[in-house]
Amino acid sequence: MKIKMIIILMLLIVGTQHQLNAQNPIIKHIFTADPAPIVYKNTVYLYAGHDTASVRDKNYKMPDWHVFSSKDMVNWKDHGALLSPKTFSWATGDAYAAQCIEYKDKFYWFVSTFHKNDINSRGGAAIGVAVSDSPIGPFTDAIGKALVTNEMTTDMKHAWDDIDPTVFVDDDGQVYLFWGNGSCKWVKLKNNMTELDGPISAFKPQNYIEGPWVYKRNGHYYLVYAGAGTKPEIIAYCMAEKPEGPWIYKGIIQGNVLNSFTTHPGIVDFKGKSYFFYHNGALPTGGSYRRSICIDYMYYNADGTIQKVIETTNGVAAVKNNK
């Protein structure tokens, strides 16, 4: 009897320790999606969508975007809902994937939502940009109109073309905007961050669906995206020698995630380690419309190619020496 009690106690202790170490998902008080991290002054700022659909809903309800911050990758502060489609007089609908970057001491938050039907637009998805002097706002509409609008037809064809913006500033200061559902589009931006600088180009990476994330590391350019061709999504990537391409397909770095038919990449280096952000439906009552952001380590091979991400419940360890 005593031996059985000892075994039970040991199992309870192990289970408790596992729960204490189970960081993923990293945000537990609300449902979050479409992670977009940046590093600024020894702090990681995480810009995220906010799922509010009920367990019975069969579609997204995403009223706003939240900002979280952390100095150790483990403890995250919620700065609240700092932006919503209501910020933009031209916008309507939900707060889909977005990314904020710092450029010349200002913060530009590129968002995807839907455009109101009016004399200047046929509705459909659109990309806007908000600006602030601080990573935590206040943010205002930078130009009073959408930066990118599509040409949706009456049968809703192309309605979702213009979503999921990612913005990248190259070493020479040139800014690039990538986005798109179905095909990946890109364009140069003027250095005011609010005007297109040339024509829009489009291409179709292998298995591309949506959610591009573009960055440069150790001389290599990376295009990471949600792909597979069908749901549920995986994360694949390409590499290039310049932002204009050609982009060469390199493979899959994340398979299907738990309890969600979508996933979305966000990648940063912070204090000597690389981190891969994504979302799944792992929280209690979670699912494809009630998602949660997770973080795991990301590793590169000597030639710059990316190793497959290992998803864990433990997540990442706290970063030390935060001075």
Side-chain angles (χ1 to χ4, degrees):
M1 187 68 180
K2 288 183 178 179
I3 294 175
K4 287 184 178 179
M5 289 298 295
I6 291 171
I7 292 172
I8 291 170
L9 286 171
M10 289 177 66
L11 289 172
L12 287 172
I13 290 169
V14 171
T16 300
Q17 289 176 338
H18 177 76
Q19 289 298 319
L20 289 173
N21 293 331
Q23 288 179 207
N24 280 333
I26 62 168
I27 309 298
K28 295 179 171 63
H29 64 287
I30 60 174
F31 291 101
T32 54
D34 302 328
I38 63 168
V39 177
Y40 178 71
K41 292 187 175 180
N42 290 317
T43 301
V44 177
Y45 290 91
L46 174 61
Y47 299 80
H50 178 204
D51 284 341
T52 62
S54 74
V55 293
R56 296 181 181 85
D57 283 331
K58 301 299 182 183
N59 208 338
Y60 301 105
K61 288 186 178 178
M62 304 180 72
D64 45 46
W65 295 277
H66 277 242
V67 182
F68 304 87
S69 67
S70 177
K71 293 182 180 295
D72 65 2
M73 299 299 290
V74 169
N75 298 290
W76 293 89
K77 178 179 180 180
D78 186 356
H79 296 278
L82 301 187
L83 193 67
S84 81
K86 294 179 181 178
T87 304
F88 305 94
S89 61
W90 51 266
T92 186
D94 290 295
Y96 299 117
Q99 183 187 12
C100 183
I101 69 165
E102 185 269 333
Y103 183 72
K104 294 185 177 179
D105 297 321
K106 289 187 178 292
F107 295 84
Y108 295 89
W109 200 343
F110 293 82
V111 305
S112 54
T113 184
F114 263 59
H115 202 292
K116 293 177 180 177
N117 285 298
D118 58 29
I119 60 173
N120 297 312
S121 172
R122 301 182 208 172
I127 294 171
V129 55
V131 64
S132 175
D133 293 325
S134 163
I136 55 173
F139 285 89
T140 58
D141 187 348
I143 51 177
K145 61 181 181 180
L147 179 64
V148 175
T149 57
N150 65 16
E151 294 297 326
M152 185 184 72
T153 58
T154 55
D155 61 358
M156 292 296 288
K157 187 178 180 181
H158 306 300
W160 287 91
D161 283 7
D162 297 314
I163 62 170
D164 299 357
T166 180
V167 182
F168 163 70
V169 182
D170 208 351
D171 297 335
D172 61 2
Q174 179 62 60
V175 186
Y176 296 84
L177 171 67
F178 288 74
W179 73 98
N181 174 278
S183 66
C184 187
K185 301 178 181 180
W186 70 272
V187 69
K188 291 181 179 180
L189 295 183
K190 295 182 179 179
N191 60 12
N192 60 14
M193 303 295 280
T194 59
E195 292 181 84
L196 306 187
D197 189 14
I200 294 172
S201 299
F203 62 106
K204 179 79 172 185
Q206 183 172 327
N207 296 331
Y208 179 90
I209 298 177
E210 60 187 359
W213 184 270
V214 175
Y215 65 103
K216 184 180 183 180
R217 184 180 187 274
N218 292 342
H220 301 291
Y221 294 90
Y222 295 87
L223 168 63
V224 185
Y225 53 89
T230 60
K231 297 175 183 178
E233 294 176 340
I234 51 84
I235 297 295
Y237 80 109
C238 298
M239 294 176 66
E241 296 182 357
K242 55 184 180 179
E244 295 89 347
W247 291 96
I248 300 172
Y249 181 77
K250 293 296 182 178
I252 297 170
I253 58 175
Q254 184 193 39
N256 303 144
V257 298
L258 178 65
N259 201 28
S260 171
F261 59 71
T262 66
T263 183
H264 189 99
I267 298 164
V268 292
D269 285 356
F270 183 59
K271 295 188 179 294
K273 293 185 181 296
S274 298
Y275 297 90
F276 182 80
F277 291 70
Y278 59 98
H279 66 235
N280 63 22
L283 279 185
T285 76
S288 291
Y289 307 114
R290 293 162 66 83
R291 299 160 295 178
S292 297
I293 291 172
C294 302
I295 311 173
D296 279 301
Y297 290 113
M298 190 171 189
Y299 299 100
Y300 295 83
N301 298 311
D303 62 356
T305 54
I306 302 172
Q307 298 179 18
K308 191 168 184 180
V309 173
I310 299 174
E311 296 174 35
T312 69
T313 55
N314 288 352
V316 299
V319 176
K320 298 178 181 179
N321 301 320
N322 294 309
K323 294 182 181 179

